[in-house]
Amino acid sequence: MLIETGGYVPTENVDSRAAIILDVKCPASGEVERNHWPNLERVRSDKDEVKFVVADLDDWEFAKEIIAKYHLPERAKEVLISPVHGIDMRPIADAVSQSGLSVRLNLQMHKYIWGPDVRGV
């Protein structure tokens, strides 16, 4: 069982058998204040992933701060960095690859396959 959440819904009552992909909202999303930070305290290294959708290098800097603050490479199964669909991904890809952090660059494949406006796929 896999649950992907926007990060603003508390995860404490999620069935312990479920793996969680927790989407942390970055500044460019305009939704940082919606993040439910206690969710990051519950991340499990054997199951859960934390995803940051980044629009620019400022979002990447924000993601790095949160990754460090919550020790995510040690506490999550994966830390995913997903550039926003439609931007020039090269600066973000370069910054991620040069960071030395144990994170994975991850494309929003559903947007490449079905388009940026299709939801629920």
Side-chain angles (χ1 to χ4, degrees):
M1 183 176 359
L2 176 65
I3 296 173
E4 184 166 353
T5 174
Y8 46 84
V9 176
T11 58
E12 68 250 31
N13 293 322
V14 172
D15 187 314
S16 63
R17 297 172 294 177
I20 296 171
I21 299 177
L22 185 67
D23 183 358
V24 177
K25 301 300 182 192
C26 292
S29 73
E31 298 184 8
V32 170
E33 70 283 345
R34 295 184 73 190
N35 287 315
H36 186 70
W37 299 112
N39 285 341
L40 290 173
E41 299 291 349
R42 289 187 286 275
V43 171
R44 300 162 297 173
S45 63
D46 63 328
K47 292 183 179 183
D48 300 334
E49 300 178 3
V50 179
K51 178 176 72 172
F52 297 85
V53 178
V54 296
D56 52 33
L57 292 175
D58 290 336
D59 276 359
W60 167 239
E61 292 300 320
F62 171 83
K64 287 194 310 183
E65 289 173 16
I66 300 304
I67 290 166
K69 179 177 181 178
Y70 290 92
H71 309 283
L72 295 178
E74 297 81 31
R75 296 188 50 247
K77 183 176 180 182
E78 294 283 348
V79 178
L80 310 171
I81 307 298
S82 297
V84 169
H85 180 267
I87 66 166
D88 179 2
M89 293 179 270
R90 289 173 289 192
I92 293 169
D94 288 342
V96 169
S97 67
Q98 293 169 9
S99 72
L101 291 174
S102 182
V103 300
R104 188 173 68 181
L105 193 65
N106 185 56
L107 300 181
Q108 297 176 302
M109 293 302 294
H110 60 287
K111 292 187 179 184
Y112 288 93
I113 297 168
W114 291 285
D117 298 323
V118 176
R119 301 281 185 221
V121 293

